[in-house]
Amino acid sequence: MDSYAAQIVGILPEILLIVTAIFAILLDLLSKKEERSWVATISLVGFIGSGIVSVFLWNRVGFVFSGMVAADNFTAVFRILFCFIGAITVLVSPEYLRERKIRLGEYYPILLITVFAMMVMVSAADLLLFFLGLETMSIALYVLACLDRRDSRSTEAALKYFILGAFSTAFLLYGIALIYAQTGSTSYAEIMTALIVLPLEVVTVAGVGLLLIGFAFKVAAVPFHFWSPDVYQGAPTPITAFMSVGPKAAAFVALIRVFTISLESLADIWTGAVFVIAVLTMTLGNVVALRQQNIKRMLAYSSIAHAGYLLVGIVAGGPRAIAATSFYLVAYALMNLGAFTVAMLMNRRGEGDYQLDDYRGAGFAHPLLGVTMAIFMFSLAGIPPTAGFFGKLYLFSAAVEKGYILLVVIAVLNSAVAAYYYLRIIVLMYMTRAEHEMAAVPSFGGYTLTLVVTSVLVLLIGSLPGGLLNLLLAALP
Amino acid sequence: MNVASSLFAQILFVVFALLTVVSAAVVVFSPRIIHSAFGLLFTFCGVAALYVFLYADFLAVTQLLIYVGGILILIIFGLLLTQRVMDSKYFEQSHQRIAAGVLGVVLAGVLFGVVLATPWTQAPRPDTPTTEIIGVSLLTQYLIPFEMASMLLLVALIGAVWLARTKRGHHE
């Protein structure tokens, strides 16, 4: 057994976030009103620090705390991604909160704790710890969704999210209980060995089924997606951006760890179900997104569709598919964060609005927004040379290698449908005239930095995709 | 264990199981929220009794202390301090009751079938009180989940205070 110091180093990124969160709470309490903006800076420093520590932990630690925490390279990749997502959310938040006169309060500390909980979810090597991470993340998200209590839509979103979240948690927990009853353990590794040895009982199948339903709720897969468009539309936009990428990625990584590793021996049983869910998810997401006039709802349905593509990777299984799924998660995080930031800046007419018509002629009126939005839309549609294109390419080719031709054909057809509504925004921006005077867009360093960083990374990964893919292949658990 | 005492235990078990299920049904179906809260009292007590049957002594006492003694009292206080709650009725215009009911019954049937079809393995009966074992494992094997649970409570606490704060503080 390692020394305690070595074990603590294994969870240092998490500890850093928690310490920053508690420090930020105290600072908010003790400082004067005009000094409170420091809280944002400190949170940003916390995210960057934790990300840097995660980089240094590459290849250094394995399982710590009696096998509870897998501080491996796979975890490190997602710790870095989550710190990046957290930092971007901090960058786009202050101006938004100031404009809407939302009191800062515990916003940043709760955001830090959410990211901390996401890290716990991906580093957990035990269903018990995973569940606690998931619950901590969910409770923090319910609060963040309810940020603006004067806005009835935000309150409604939070309440819906809370009730459906609690409902789905019950499924997940029931599944965990049944699997524990059969295998006698909650540890991923012990479940894996127990399932290989034990004869297959109907209770295991029921446990896996309930677990799958719970996960499907959390990643908003059809038919368990009903909450997500309303919640995405109602929640404050920085939080929507955060929710659509961070918690979704955390749930997917946990799904990878649980299903493609622990429950691998039962793959024959769950692959069929995930196959059907994947097809339904991408088809429904894309078809409904076509009809949306509200960009937040459109991106919500697009986010459902992307969950469907990601499930293709889970169906395929195997190292290449897992690496491709991880690649897609990274690419999706970058382009979606960017797209939501543009949506936030383009909306100048109150929180309930976000109409697509606002984009008419916007490409020339706001050059930076136009160009970056075009990059994000190309990437979401999967057009080269963007990260989104290679994400889809790797994902679908991994599925073809495993013989899931039909699934890939459906996914490619779906991408073609999706291209219509993504490219429509570019058409609106550059090929139509504005009907009204263009509203001024707030100039704030955080927004510009976010747009530049995310779009450059989307293009960079799109031009040199092999580097990231090899990194992910080397990081596989 | 002789036949008479095992029969007595069986009867006790059925009584407590019925208490749990019936009061849980009251919690769900009662139109008055205050009745639901009091129904929950009996559900929690019944579950505590079921823990006793499973030789989970520590868990049973914790269930009584935390759920009945703490959480339930808080719920009832919260209800009493909320205006007009005593006569408020909810669920009245829910139009998806039938679909939800059918799905619920199907799910319950499937789970019941699974329970009956499974050859359950029985854990050995502990011959010492479980408190010490639980305490030791919380600080060794389960140290990280234990700490994580405290983070869960921390964020729930901060979140609850933030959401419940008066409007005045909000408009600051």
Side-chain angles (χ1 to χ4, degrees):
Chain A
M1 194 180 177
D2 291 344
S3 70
Y4 274 112
Q7 303 208 37
I8 296 222
V9 169
I11 56 165
L12 201 55
E14 280 91 342
I15 294 177
L16 267 178
L17 285 187
I18 282 300
V19 170
T20 318
I22 291 170
F23 184 65
I25 293 172
L26 290 178
L27 188 79
D28 181 66
L29 272 178
L30 301 176
S31 60
K32 290 191 203 78
K33 209 171 161 187
E34 57 271 23
E35 290 165 357
R36 287 202 182 125
S37 57
W38 277 100
V39 177
T41 319
I42 283 170
S43 311
L44 191 63
V45 171
F47 281 127
I48 294 172
S50 175
I52 291 173
V53 171
S54 309
V55 173
F56 278 109
L57 288 183
W58 186 267
N59 269 343
R60 297 244 171 137
V61 261
F63 287 83
V64 288
F65 290 99
S66 15
M68 255 318 150
V69 180
D72 51 14
N73 289 347
F74 196 55
T75 299
V77 168
F78 287 98
R79 277 175 176 162
I80 297 164
L81 178 69
F82 294 160
C83 284
F84 178 80
I85 294 172
I88 292 289
T89 313
V90 172
L91 279 179
V92 296
S93 292
E95 183 67 15
Y96 181 92
L97 298 178
R98 198 186 57 75
E99 269 183 16
R100 280 165 189 73
K101 298 195 173 55
I102 299 171
R103 193 189 170 281
L104 280 174
E106 283 74 30
Y107 175 80
Y108 295 108
I110 294 179
L111 188 66
L112 283 158
I113 295 178
T114 318
V115 175
F116 155 78
M118 279 153 50
M119 286 186 178
V120 172
M121 279 170 73
V122 301
S123 65
D126 191 289
L127 285 172
L128 188 62
L129 186 59
F130 155 69
F131 181 75
L132 284 167
L134 177 75
E135 272 307 275
T136 310
M137 179 192 83
S138 304
I139 287 177
L141 285 175
Y142 306 146
V143 178
L144 288 175
C146 195
L147 194 60
D148 195 351
R149 283 193 313 158
R150 290 158 298 174
D151 181 2
S152 58
R153 211 180 258 108
S154 172
T155 320
E156 186 199 331
L159 196 63
K160 236 176 217 171
Y161 194 26
F162 171 63
I163 290 173
L164 284 175
F167 186 63
S168 66
T169 300
F171 280 93
L172 202 67
L173 201 55
Y174 209 133
I176 293 175
L178 289 185
I179 289 174
Y180 174 74
Q182 194 57 20
T183 60
S185 174
T186 51
S187 147
Y188 293 174
E190 284 173 29
I191 290 174
M192 183 173 74
T193 43
L195 284 179
I196 293 171
V197 178
L198 288 173
L200 183 64
E201 296 289 351
V202 63
V203 64
T204 319
V205 179
V208 172
L210 290 169
L211 208 57
L212 187 62
I213 293 178
F215 270 111
F217 260 111
K218 296 294 174 192
V219 301
V222 178
F224 310 104
H225 64 286
F226 295 105
W227 58 273
S228 94
D230 290 345
V231 173
Y232 282 15
Q233 189 187 2
T237 317
I239 296 306
T240 310
F242 176 76
M243 272 200 291
S244 72
V245 294
K248 189 167 269 192
F252 259 104
V253 176
L255 188 68
I256 289 173
R257 279 200 194 273
V258 174
F259 275 80
T260 64
I261 298 167
S262 286
L263 304 179
E264 216 261 326
S265 60
L266 302 177
D268 294 343
I269 294 164
W270 56 259
T271 309
V274 180
F275 187 108
V276 174
I277 293 177
V279 170
L280 288 177
T281 306
M282 52 194 166
T283 312
L284 185 128
N286 282 323
V287 170
V288 181
L290 285 176
R291 290 186 300 147
Q292 301 305 315
Q293 287 305 315
N294 177 304
I295 183 128
K296 270 173 105 175
R297 280 189 91 81
M298 190 202 95
L299 286 173
Y301 281 106
S302 123
S303 157
I304 293 175
H306 283 280
Y309 302 142
L310 285 159
L311 286 172
V312 171
I314 307 283
V315 172
R320 283 198 65 82
I322 295 175
T325 312
S326 315
F327 186 100
Y328 203 90
L329 282 172
V330 174
Y332 170 72
L334 292 171
M335 55 206 187
N336 230 34
L337 278 176
F340 268 112
T341 308
V342 176
M344 188 161 80
L345 288 174
M346 287 296 295
N347 177 51
R348 296 285 98 212
R349 284 187 283 159
E351 198 53 23
D353 211 52
Y354 288 92
Q355 292 304 309
L356 277 181
D357 279 339
D358 291 354
Y359 289 78
R360 286 182 189 280
F364 297 108
H366 306 299
L368 177 70
L369 291 187
V371 170
T372 49
M373 190 62 163
I375 295 172
F376 301 135
M377 290 299 129
F378 276 131
S379 185
L380 283 166
I383 294 167
T386 56
F389 168 73
F390 285 100
K392 281 205 174 80
L393 182 71
Y394 292 144
L395 204 53
F396 297 166
S397 62
V400 168
E401 267 174 39
K402 292 271 176 167
Y404 292 100
I405 311 282
L406 177 66
L407 187 59
V408 172
V409 168
I410 297 173
V412 170
L413 286 177
N414 261 293
S415 309
V417 173
Y420 172 76
Y421 62 83
Y422 293 128
L423 299 184
R424 186 175 59 176
I425 291 188
I426 300 179
V427 171
L428 280 176
M429 284 196 308
Y430 285 102
M431 295 171 197
T432 54
R433 279 177 193 283
E435 286 165 355
H436 315 283
E437 186 94 351
M438 273 289 150
V441 162
S443 63
F444 173 65
Y447 292 144
T448 318
L449 189 63
T450 300
L451 291 177
V452 170
V453 168
T454 46
S455 56
V456 165
L457 281 174
V458 165
L459 289 178
L460 196 68
I461 295 176
S463 3
L464 305 162
L468 179 61
L469 187 72
N470 288 334
L471 188 80
L472 289 167
L473 277 170
L476 285 185
Chain B
M1 202 184 280
N2 60 43
V3 182
S5 76
S6 102
L7 183 70
F8 181 61
Q10 292 267 328
I11 292 171
L12 264 187
F13 173 77
V14 171
V15 168
F16 280 116
L18 274 179
L19 176 77
T20 314
V21 174
V22 171
S23 58
V26 171
V27 174
V28 178
F29 294 112
S30 163
R32 283 167 192 265
I33 195 163
I34 193 83
H35 291 175
S36 296
F38 278 103
L40 204 55
L41 171 71
F42 294 99
T43 315
F44 284 156
C45 291
V47 170
L50 294 184
Y51 286 146
V52 174
F53 280 101
L54 293 170
Y55 301 98
D57 51 353
F58 180 73
L59 212 52
V61 174
T62 319
Q63 169 82 10
L64 280 181
L65 275 178
I66 307 291
Y67 281 89
V68 181
I71 292 173
L72 193 74
I73 300 295
L74 266 183
I75 290 177
I76 291 176
F77 261 104
L79 284 181
L80 294 179
L81 293 175
T82 314
Q83 286 172 344
R84 279 175 289 133
V85 76
M86 298 302 281
D87 45 34
S88 78
K89 297 193 174 176
Y90 56 109
F91 280 149
E92 277 191 347
Q93 58 281 65
S94 173
H95 52 280
Q96 283 163 333
R97 276 187 137 175
I98 295 167
V102 169
L103 271 178
V105 169
V106 168
L107 184 66
V110 168
L111 290 174
F112 194 66
V114 166
V115 169
L116 290 183
T118 305
W120 297 99
T121 45
Q122 261 188 322
R125 202 169 116 189
D127 33 79
T128 51
T130 54
T131 317
E132 188 184 344
I133 311 168
I134 292 176
V136 168
S137 59
L138 275 185
L139 287 178
T140 52
Q141 167 79 27
Y142 293 100
L143 178 65
I144 287 289
F146 179 63
E147 292 296 332
M148 192 61 204
S150 57
M151 291 316 301
L152 175 70
L153 292 177
L154 175 71
V155 72
L157 204 66
I158 297 173
V161 171
W162 194 25
L163 292 184
R165 199 152 44 191
T166 55
K167 282 246 163 79
R168 192 163 41 85
H170 204 72
H171 279 288
E172 199 177 300

